[in-house]
Amino acid sequence: MKFHLSFLILFTINITNIWGQSFTSVTERSGLNKSIHSNGIAVADYDLDGDLDVYIVGSDPYDPQKEITWNRFYSNNGNGTFSEVTEGANIRGGVTSPEKGSMGNQFGAAWGDYDNDGDPDLFLTNYGYNVLYNNNGNRTFTDITESAGVKGREDDHNSSACWWDYDLDGDLDLYVSAWFGENILYENLGDGIFTDVTEAAGLGDAGFTWSSVPIDANNDRLPDLYVVNDFGANTFYVNLGDKTFAEATEQFGLMDVGNGMGVDIGDYNNDGLFDIYLTNISSLFHCPLFENQGNGIFIDKAKDVGVSDAGWAWGTEFFDFDHDGGLDLYVVNGFESEPGNNFFFYNLLESDILESNFRKAFFWNVSEVSGANTGEEARSLVTFDYDDDGDLDLVVGNWWTMPQLFENQSQTKNWLKIELEGTVSNRNAFGATVSITCGEKKYYRSNDGIDFLGQSVLPLHFGVANAEMIDSVNVVWPTGESELITDVAINQTIKIIEREGLVTGVKQAKKLTPQPEFSLLGNYPNPFNGAAHIEFNLPEASLVQFKVMNILGHEIYSQTLSAKAGRNHISWQGRNMIGSPVGSGLYFYSITFKSNMQLTGKLLHIK
């Protein structure tokens, strides 16, 4: 609790002044505006052209005469826009449910390469029968549900699906969660055939499941399974290594009896252990953050780190939005009786907003100034780099209105994206983990693709702060074999193939339009006594606004100056507007160009 008090006293600042809006809605411009009444969203490069495509599931009962009820599939044009290709690709879904469901009739979409042929296939969950589409490799799909044996039961409300290799035989099996009914585990037998092994495996959970996520919770290289249930207790199943599982929820410390909905896996404190964040209805049950202790035990740290209250929470994702190396957290929110804004929690672990002696894994609620705190009643969420510029954007599925695509405006620091391709393991390498080393820093990612009511096939994304080179990338494949690659350049997408190593350093970030070279070159000395000097680049001659704020967010100094194109210099003498010296302490400054572009930094004054 000491950190909470000191943080609130020292750093309760006007975050609008020093943080700025980080996301902009580009839904209309992008073309993702035909879908209304959405449930799940899933993303993959279905045509292998290098751009990520988006499938959006409609929630209403399917009616071929009403477009509002159709699922929509959008192909990425590679220029910041999407084109709808649902009919041409033949993946509308089109399953008629027995009756109207209270939580929707069409639920989830899960991408996964079940036949290891190199292109992602698509599984859809519904109230009633499910659908499996095989990717034909020519931008079309074929419904193979009946022959594959994954149709399910007519009366089940199948909420989500999880592709995973539970038996580590090199192909993807399928776990189907039911919000009403019993969950089903299908084992992949090869040749496009699956068989129901639920009873034999011991995974027949019937707890009103919204989400399920694989995680190796005891570090034995076997994928365990956490099942998130709406009414009653969640269940954790430990993999025994013989195609069976044992319930071990209390043993692992993963008890939660709230209205579980969404879940995500991430190493929020950068200790090399994967933690679990779970969404509930916060007014009834807080949202737990189960911190992995490394000994088969998890401890709920949500209240300690500031993420226990996220409203009526649904989909959630860990992601490093500004590439500082710390995983931030986004949670979508709302229900008909309690609509609310989405939550954006900024992780201060690696942020340079705080001095190093104050840094720890603690989340700062920056929802109001993020530009992504929509008040729509939301359900699903995927974080992905839609415009391939290196940073992660957000697509949010809304229940009553069109989805929202939020473009990341941070454009800060360095990054790396890694595509994995299994050869002995499943082609998507679901179940692999990756760590990268940059000097003394190390960052970790788990490759599962799980979203709320969806599963996506995406590159793993790392922010690496100001690192100028990745010292090493270490991949641990689902088989347990590891692969080490050294001296990798920053700000690119690389591809690693199992047992072949780095085969391509293939793709630099692209920009949709030329970006102005408005950049901060640094401030010195820092700490300072007497005068601080700030340097910045400007793309053209212009007036700029320079402001200094104290830690309470109060503006103490401002200046408008005429700056030239190229390198510019500002000096601040450590005085306020009436010329009086300021006291020792931490100060924040901003430089604003053309009223809508802003750079921020910090200064430590010592007298």
Side-chain angles (χ1 to χ4, degrees), residues 312-327:
W312 197 304
W314 298 89
T316 183
E317 294 282 344
F318 285 110
F319 73 119
D320 184 0
F321 104 95
D322 62 348
H323 301 159
D324 67 354
L327 285 178

Side-chain angles (χ1 to χ4, degrees), residues 432-468:
T433 59
V434 178
S435 62
I436 69 171
T437 303
C438 306
E440 296 180 355
K441 297 289 187 179
K442 201 164 186 177
Y443 310 109
Y444 305 84
R445 298 290 185 269
S446 176
N447 185 35
D448 58 62
I450 296 295
D451 312 302
F452 179 69
L453 297 181
Q455 187 170 22
S456 299
V457 180
L458 299 172
L460 295 176
H461 175 271
F462 293 83
V464 297
N466 296 315
E468 297 180 356

